[in-house]
Amino acid sequence: SSYPDFIDFRNQADSLESLAAYEQTVRNLSDDLGAERLRGFYVTGNYFDVLGIKAVVGRTLQASDDTPSEAQPIVISYGLWQRRFSSDQNVIGQPLKLNSKIYTLVGVVEPSFRGLRLGLPPEFWLPMSADPSYASGARGDRGIELVGRLKPNVSVAQAQSELTTIAARLAEAYPQSNLGTLDRPNEP
């Protein structure tokens, strides 16, 4: 999806309790221990709530993190917390430098969470608001993925039908960027 389409899906999908967006990124962590290349994700503030993922230390990202701020938060994996921070409970509020930008460490996710993609698990999550290109993104920029939580008593088939209808409306409203998006396979 594109970020503008995500906003439309989120605002129009009545069958979903909530809808979150995410996109993979790679950043370099640098601190007193040296530099390390890490795989992570830009996510919307409700990402962890949609997935039911909790923090074991601090908090996960939340809806208020969708607004750009000077002290951008970062959530890290349990493995990164063990490896780079020796499982120190006092890391919350500490600065973390990725690609020369400073983030504020707000939480560590539960050890069982390995992300939504196959392969190596992510080691950090940043709010999409940390990258202004999302808010100004074009409809044709289809780099983000979506994940949603169904409302009670709504079937996957009902939600898929509704999302297909919304996609058709978007294709009609924005033919230059959205024409042909219905031809792509969707996973429930």
Side-chain angles (χ1 to χ4, degrees):
S1 182
S2 68
Y3 192 79
D5 282 355
F6 156 68
I7 298 298
D8 286 332
F9 279 113
R10 184 189 67 191
N11 293 341
Q12 295 177 37
D14 293 326
S15 60
L16 300 178
E17 195 172 279
S18 54
L19 185 67
Y22 61 99
E23 182 175 28
Q24 186 173 327
T25 187
V26 177
R27 296 285 180 263
N28 294 313
L29 167 67
S30 55
D31 58 18
D32 294 341
L33 298 174
E36 182 179 356
R37 195 149 176 82
L38 302 176
R39 187 180 96 131
F41 284 89
Y42 281 108
V43 299
T44 52
N46 66 338
Y47 175 82
F48 292 103
D49 288 338
V50 168
L51 298 174
I53 303 301
K54 305 290 183 212
V56 293
V57 177
R59 66 171 177 87
T60 59
L61 297 177
Q62 48 200 9
S64 61
D65 294 321
D66 284 336
T67 304
S69 68
E70 204 152 305
Q72 285 291 327
I74 184 171
V75 172
I76 63 171
S77 71
Y78 192 86
L80 181 62
W81 179 55
Q82 287 182 313
R83 189 174 72 250
R84 291 297 281 234
F85 302 99
S86 302
S87 303
D88 182 359
Q89 301 269 331
N90 297 315
V91 297
I92 302 307
Q94 297 297 313
L96 199 63
K97 187 177 182 182
L98 295 180
N99 283 17
S100 302
K101 184 171 179 182
I102 305 294
Y103 298 91
T104 302
L105 183 53
V106 298
V108 177
V109 294
E110 54 195 55
S112 61
F113 185 57
R114 299 186 51 82
L116 295 177
R117 291 179 147 199
L118 296 175
L120 295 173
E123 301 209 78
F124 68 89
W125 294 266
L126 296 169
M128 286 188 164
S129 64
D131 183 343
S133 68
Y134 287 106
S136 62
R139 282 196 190 269
D141 295 341
R142 302 203 165 279
I144 67 171
E145 297 181 61
L146 308 180
V147 60
R149 180 173 292 279
L150 294 173
K151 282 185 177 175
N153 302 317
V154 173
S155 71
V156 171
Q158 288 171 309
Q160 185 64 54
S161 175
E162 180 186 46
L163 294 173
T164 299
T165 300
I166 294 169
R169 283 197 304 256
L170 293 174
E172 187 174 315
Y174 307 101
Q176 289 186 319
S177 61
N178 289 49
L179 201 59
T181 58
L182 291 175
D183 301 332
R184 298 180 188 152
N186 292 319
E187 293 181 35

